[in-house]
C-alpha cells in the first residue's frame, strides 16, 4: 500500500479538503494510473452532501478520470507504462452474472464496485475516486483513450458521454431519426453532440430560450421551448426517441405527448420521484418510458472510439482542485458550460 | 335506413332504457349483423356515466358483439348470410395512415371510428354500439368467430381478450417466460388464460388472497399477494413481463421492482394519473413502462383463431338486457366472474 494525496469530504455538506488516502500496490491484474484530469459530475456533489443517504466518509469523489499508466500487473498486458487511459464510474464487478456476461457490468447482479463510495474488495472500507494523485484499477475496467482528442476534455465522456451514448445505442437511434434531448447540462450537451454524430435530426428541448444559440452550436438542428404550448403542440406525436437528462423529479407528461407511437423516452438523470404520469398518455399510442444507467465497459470503449473518429469531446472549464467547493456551488446553479474538469497537477500545490 | 331496438343512456349517470336507433342499409362494403350476444365492458359504464367527459347522448354502449350475418354488400364477399361473426371496439378507420398500413387501426392517425361514441361517417351524429338488435359494419372490421367455441362466452374476447393478447404478442411473451398478470377482473382473467396457453409461467398478482383459488383454476401457476412485503421481496427483479390490468390510478413502483433488467410492464387499464413513479426504479436496472390499447383487426382475428385452437373463452354470467343497470352496479363492485354478457334475444321482450 502507498499513501497518496487526495481531496475528500469528511462529513455531509462540509467542504472538500486535502486528505491522504491509501492506494494498493497493483496486483497481477491491475493497472496503476497517475491521474491527469478528473471531471466534476453532479453525482460527486450528491455524494459529498449525502443527498442519496448512502455516503461514506471520508469521501473522495470523481469518476471521470484520465491519466497515464505508471505500472502494470503481469497479467495486464494490454497496457503499458506511459499509455493514456481512462477510468469511469466502475472499477470492478462480479464478472460472473448474466449482466456481466452481457458486458453490462453497471447492472451486475451482485452489485458493481463503483469508483467511489462502494465497498473496496482489496483494502476493505470503501473506494476512493479520482480527486487524487493515483488510482489502481483492475485491467478490465481501464479504457483506452484516443490520443487525437483534447485529453482534458475527454474526462467527462467517462460518465456524461457513456450515460447518453448507451441509451442512444440501446434504442437504435439512427440516421434521420428525430431525436429530442431534454435539458442542456453536462449530460444534455453530450447527448446533442453524440446524436448529431449518429446522423439524427436533433431537437434540443429546453425551458430556456437563452440556451438556443449554444444548443445549435453544439449540434442541435432545432430548438423546442417546452414552456411554449404552441410549439409543443406542433411537435406532438413526432419524435422517434427522447433522451431525458433532467436531473430532478419533474412532469414528464408533456414529453410523453411528443413521442410517436411505439417510441421511447429514456430517463438518465431523474433518480427521484416524477410527477404523476397519466396512464392514458402511454396507452393511447403505445408509448414507452424507460431508464438507463451509465453504460458497460465494452460500450464505453466503443463510445470513446466513436468520439475519437468523430472528434467529439466535452465542452469543459478547467479548474484547480483548490477551487472545487466553488465549482460545486456553480454546478448547483447550472453555471458551467458544460463540465468542470480538475487539472490534477494542482494537487501538488497542497 | 331502418329503425332498430336498442338500450341507451340519455344523459350521464341515468339508467339505460329502451330506445329506437337508426341503422343504415348495408353499402356494397358492409355486413349487416343480427346481434346475438354483447359483452359488458367497464368502458360502457365510463361512457354512460361520462367519466371521461366525452360521452355523447343518447349513448348505446357495447363493443363485444357476437352475431349472425343477415345481409352482405356486393363487395363483402368474405361473408355469407348466417355466418357467425364478431365486432369489437372499432367499426372503421382511415385505412390510409401508417398505423392502418401496419394493421394497427386502433392507433389510426386520423382517429379510428369506435363502435360507439365516435363520429358516424355514414349517418352523421355518433356511432351506436351493440346493446341493439342489429349493427351494420364495414367488412374490414368484421371478425370470423370459430364455431367450436361456446359462442356467448366468445363476446368478451372482442375487447378483454384482444386488450390482453396484443401486449403479450407485441412484447414477445413465449414459452417459459415468467409473466405476471396484475389484477383479476375481466381483463386479468383473460390475461391469465392467454399467457398460460402461450406457455408462460403465469403468476397472478393480486391484493386479495381470496382470489387465489379462482386464479389457479383459470390457469395461474403461482399467486403473489402484492400487499405481502416478504412475497414481493422474494419475486424482486424476476419477471420477464408484467401485464397490468388495474383499471384505476395506483402505485406502480412495487410492480416495477418485480421486473428483470430490460423487462417491461404494460398498462392496459389505468387511463388515469398514476401515483408518482420513482425514476431510480426504471434507471437502476433499465426497466420499461409502456401502454397498449385494445388491438388491430388482424391481430384480433389471430387471437380469435388462437382461442379456437386452444378452446379459450371468457368466464361469463349471462343477463337479459332489462338487468343492465343492475349489472353495471355489480361491475363497479367487482362482483362478477368475470364478464357479464347480454343475451340480446331479451330485447324482444320490450
Amino acid at each position: 500500500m502507498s499513501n497518496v494525496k487526495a481531496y475528500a469530504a469528511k462529513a455531509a455538506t462540509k467542504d472538500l479538503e486535502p486528505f491522504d488516502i491509501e492506494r494498493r500496490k497493483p496486483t497481477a491484474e491491475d493497472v496503476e494510473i497517475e491521474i491527469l484530469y478528473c471531471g466534476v459530475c453532479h453525482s460527486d456533489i450528491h455524494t459529498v452532501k449525502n443527498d442519496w443517504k448512502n455516503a461514506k466518509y471520508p469521501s473522495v469523489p470523481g469518476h471521470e478520470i484520465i491519466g497515464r499508466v505508471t505500472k502494470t500487473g503481469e497479467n495486464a498486458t494490454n497496457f503499458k507504462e506511459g499509455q493514456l487511459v481512462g477510468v469511469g464510474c466502475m472499477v470492478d464487478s462480479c464478472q460472473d452474472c448474466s449482466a456481466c456476461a452481457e458486458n453490462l457490468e453497471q447492472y451486475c447482479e451482485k452489485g458493481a464496485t463503483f469508483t467511489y463510495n462502494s465497498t473496496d474488495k482489496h483494502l476493505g472500507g470503501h473506494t476512493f475516486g479520482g480527486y487524487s494523485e493515483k488510482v489502481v484499477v483492475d485491467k478490465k475496467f481501464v479504457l483506452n483513450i484516443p490520443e487525437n482528442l483534447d485529453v482534458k476534455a475527454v474526462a467527462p465522456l467517462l460518465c456524461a458521454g457513456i450515460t447518453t451514448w448507451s441509451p442512444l445505442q440501446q434504442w437504435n437511434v439512427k440516421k434521420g431519426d428525430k431525436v429530442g434531448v431534454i435539458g442542456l447540462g453536462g449530460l444534455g450537451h453530450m447527448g446533442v453532440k453524440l446524436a448529431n454524430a449518429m446522423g439524427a435530426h436533433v431537437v434540443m428541448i429546453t425551458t430556456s430560450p437563452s440556451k438556443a444559440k449554444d444548443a445549435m452550436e453544439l449540434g442541435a438542428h432545432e430548438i423546442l421551448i417546452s414552456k411554449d404550448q404552441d410549439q409543443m403542440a406542433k411537435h406532438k406525436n413526432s419524435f422517434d426517441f427522447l433522451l431525458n437528462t433532467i436531473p430532478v423529479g419533474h412532469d414528464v407528461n408533456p414529453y410523453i405527448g411528443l413521442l410517436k407511437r411505439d417510441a421511447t423516452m429514456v430517463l438518465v438523470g431523474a433518480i427521484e420521484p416524477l410527477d404523476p404520469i397519466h396512464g392514458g398518455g402511454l396507452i393511447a399510442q403505445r408509448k414507452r418510458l424507460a431508464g438507463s444507467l451509465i453504460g458497460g465497459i465494452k460500450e464505453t470503449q466503443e463510445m470513446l472510439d466513436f468520439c475519437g473518429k468523430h472528434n467529439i469531446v466535452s465542452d469543459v472549464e478547467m479548474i484547480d482542485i483548490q477551487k472545487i467547493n466553488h465549482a460545486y456551488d456553480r454546478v448547483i446553479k447550472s453555471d458551467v458550460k458544460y463540465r468542470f474538469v480538475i487539472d490534477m497537477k494542482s494537487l501538488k500545490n497542497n
Side-chain angles (χ1 to χ4, degrees), chain A:
Chain A
M1 290 190 290
S2 65
N3 277 346
V4 302
K5 287 182 186 172
Y7 254 60
K10 291 173 198 166
T13 77
K14 291 278 181 182
D15 288 347
L16 275 74
E17 293 169 6
F19 195 74
D20 278 345
I21 58 169
E22 283 176 10
R23 294 292 193 190
R24 70 180 182 271
K25 300 252 186 264
T27 69
E29 311 301 324
D30 282 335
V31 178
E32 183 191 77
I33 302 161
E34 183 190 0
I35 301 174
L36 300 175
Y37 303 106
C38 186
V40 176
C41 174
H42 210 123
S43 302
D44 300 355
I45 303 175
H46 285 307
T47 304
V48 165
K49 293 190 174 298
N50 201 17
D51 289 337
W52 294 329
K53 307 298 175 204
N54 66 348
K56 294 163 188 154
Y57 300 101
S59 175
V60 179
H63 58 205
E64 297 179 341
I65 297 169
I66 297 290
R68 291 211 180 263
V69 174
T70 47
K71 267 185 207 151
T72 56
E74 62 189 67
N75 297 330
T77 50
N78 285 339
F79 297 97
K80 58 177 198 294
E81 208 181 309
Q83 184 179 343
L84 192 67
V85 292
V87 177
C89 301
M90 296 180 287
V91 291
D92 210 348
S93 71
C94 81
Q95 300 290 328
D96 196 37
C97 70
S98 70
C100 289
E102 291 177 46
N103 299 304
L104 296 167
E105 300 86 357
Q106 73 274 35
Y107 305 117
C108 174
E109 290 167 17
K110 293 172 190 158
T113 302
F114 292 100
T115 304
Y116 60 85
N117 208 51
S118 269
T119 300
D120 187 323
K121 292 179 190 174
H122 295 270
L123 299 181
H126 57 274
T127 52
F128 294 125
Y131 295 5
S132 165
E133 284 180 299
K134 278 186 183 173
V135 66
V136 178
V137 179
D138 186 288
K139 64 184 189 298
K140 287 182 183 155
F141 290 79
V142 179
L143 287 310
N144 294 302
I145 300 298
E147 295 269 358
N148 64 305
L149 297 175
D150 177 5
V151 174
K152 60 188 187 299
V154 172
L157 300 183
L158 278 315
C159 174
I162 184 60
T163 298
T164 49
W165 168 269
S166 181
L168 290 166
Q169 290 292 112
Q170 190 205 353
W171 292 93
N172 195 29
V173 165
K174 57 191 186 304
K175 194 169 158 60
D177 281 356
K178 181 173 175 180
V179 170
V181 177
I182 305 169
L184 183 53
L187 294 176
H189 98 289
M190 287 310 310
V192 168
K193 290 185 184 209
L194 292 170
N196 174 301
M198 289 174 187
H201 177 82
V202 182
V203 182
M204 177 76 235
I205 304 174
T206 174
T207 53
S208 314
S210 65
K211 292 187 174 172
K213 184 165 167 286
D214 284 356
M216 300 296 274
E217 283 170 8
L218 290 166
H221 302 98
E222 218 176 321
I223 310 294
L224 170 52
I225 303 301
S226 55
K227 288 175 173 168
D228 184 323
Q229 298 302 317
D230 291 342
Q231 284 189 35
M232 290 293 277
K234 204 183 102 195
H235 286 270
K236 197 178 170 195
N237 295 340
S238 73
F239 281 86
D240 294 292
F241 184 77
L242 289 174
L243 180 66
N244 184 330
T245 74
I246 298 174
V248 294
H250 61 283
D251 182 5
V252 298
N253 291 296
Y255 305 123
I256 290 172
L258 296 174
L259 293 167
K260 273 185 186 169
R261 169 171 55 85
D262 290 327
T264 304
M265 173 162 70
V266 171
L267 304 173
V268 292
I271 307 184
E272 295 190 5
L274 307 169
D275 294 356
I277 292 173
H278 198 295
L282 295 169
I283 291 172
Q285 287 285 327
R286 206 163 70 168
K287 298 176 179 184
R288 304 166 185 182
L289 178 69
S292 184
L293 178 72
I294 51 172
I297 296 300
K298 181 169 177 282
E299 60 183 341
T300 305
Q301 190 62 60
E302 289 164 357
M303 177 272 304
L304 288 166
D305 295 346
F306 179 91
C307 287
K309 190 174 156 196
H310 291 268
N311 210 31
I312 294 172
V313 291
S314 177
D315 285 17
V316 301
E317 182 175 341
M318 300 303 296
I319 56 163
D320 287 349
I321 187 70
Q322 292 79 9
K323 294 283 184 195
I324 186 65
N325 299 304
H326 178 60
Y328 278 6
D329 291 342
R330 286 184 52 200
V331 169
I332 290 167
K333 288 186 283 189
S334 300
D335 175 26
V336 54
K337 288 180 181 175
Y338 283 92
R339 209 67 155 175
F340 285 113
V341 172
I342 309 164
D343 185 342
M344 295 311 304
K345 270 201 318 285
S346 57
L347 247 187
K348 299 195 194 325
N349 301 335
N350 275 298

